[in-house]
Amino acid sequence: SPSLPFSTRGHFVCVIFALSSCSKGSSSPRRKMPAKKAATEKKEEPAKAPAADKKGAKKVAKPAEKAKAQKAAKAVKKTIVKKKVTKIRTKTRFYRPKTLKLPRTPKYPRRSVPKTNKLDQFQILKFPLTTEAAMKKIEDNNTLVFIVDVRANKRQIKDAVKRMYDIQCQKVNTLIRPDGQKKAYVRLTQDYDALDVANKIGII
């Protein structure tokens, strides 16, 4: 209006211009979004819905999980922790524990022919001695003298004499001669006479 000062007049003109521009902007037709952007927005909208569902499901499952956790906590409290007991050792030696040892049960014999006893009475007693010293032993000490197998021991010699001549021996002494042969002095019991046995063998 002509009555207003110059400064206020300019201010009102600016306000009117601003209001007119706003009204024009509102009346202008809305711009359309490009087709690509609209498609992406449409795709995004349904994808958000299941996420909301998942959250809802989690909220429903929380009480069950809480109960499960409480149950586990109770079980942990109930369990008694046992202390490991170490074995007190009183010896400096360590032995393996004794385990079950079963006897052998072969499915077939490993040898087709069983072993024969090589040291039988015929192998042990080689021959009787007929020297003067041996004869003196027969007469004085009731003792027979034999050359025997080197591998034979006193028990085997005693058993061989019993089998061969059917006589009982009281005692057997042995020695190995310088030529490597074994000599056995077989003393008979009082029930048997060495002279009779010598005659029976054929020494005298």
Side-chain angles (χ1 to χ4, degrees):
S1 66
S3 62
L4 289 168
F6 182 76
S7 61
T8 54
R9 209 185 291 171
H11 182 69
F12 275 112
V13 170
C14 289
V15 170
I16 292 159
F17 181 75
L19 289 168
S20 65
S21 65
C22 285
S23 63
K24 282 177 185 178
S26 62
S27 63
S28 63
R30 198 174 182 183
R31 283 185 180 182
K32 287 185 179 180
M33 286 178 73
K36 285 183 181 179
K37 283 186 180 180
T40 53
E41 281 184 5
K42 282 179 184 178
K43 283 180 183 177
E44 284 173 5
E45 281 175 5
K48 286 177 184 176
D53 291 339
K54 281 182 184 176
K55 283 179 184 176
K58 279 184 182 177
K59 283 177 185 176
V60 173
K62 268 187 180 178
E65 287 176 6
K66 195 175 181 182
K68 195 177 180 183
Q70 285 174 350
K71 195 177 180 182
K74 281 181 183 177
V76 169
K77 283 179 183 178
K78 280 181 182 178
T79 53
I80 300 161
V81 179
K82 290 182 179 179
K83 288 183 179 180
K84 192 178 180 183
V85 180
T86 53
K87 189 181 177 183
I88 297 164
R89 297 196 172 272
T90 54
K91 295 177 183 178
T92 54
R93 292 182 182 181
F94 296 85
Y95 297 99
R96 286 186 298 171
K98 286 182 181 179
T99 53
L100 180 66
K101 290 181 181 178
L102 296 170
R104 289 187 181 182
T105 53
K107 304 295 178 190
Y108 65 93
R110 294 296 185 271
R111 295 175 68 89
S112 57
V113 180
K115 270 188 175 182
T116 54
N117 186 19
K118 291 179 181 177
L119 277 175
D120 55 355
Q121 68 265 29
F122 305 107
Q123 183 71 26
I124 291 168
L125 299 174
K126 291 185 176 179
F127 54 88
L129 272 180
T130 56
T131 56
E132 285 182 13
M135 289 298 159
K136 198 175 181 184
K137 287 275 180 190
I138 290 167
E139 290 166 6
D140 298 344
N141 300 328
N142 199 29
T143 304
L144 295 170
V145 185
F146 293 96
I147 296 294
V148 296
D149 197 289
V150 179
R151 295 168 293 173
N153 57 30
K154 290 180 182 180
R155 289 190 196 87
Q156 288 172 333
I157 294 163
K158 192 175 181 179
D159 191 47
V161 169
K162 187 181 177 182
R163 283 183 181 180
M164 283 283 283
Y165 307 115
D166 196 22
I167 51 175
Q168 288 288 334
C169 304
Q170 186 182 344
K171 174 173 144 180
V172 177
N173 288 335
T174 57
L175 62 88
I176 292 174
R177 303 196 307 184
D179 62 350
Q181 289 182 319
K182 186 179 258 190
K183 184 161 70 172
Y185 296 95
V186 182
R187 186 164 189 173
L188 306 181
T189 56
Q190 291 178 357
D191 300 334
Y192 301 94
D193 187 21
L195 276 169
D196 294 341
V197 176
N199 283 327
K200 195 177 176 182
I201 294 167
I203 297 170
I204 299 168

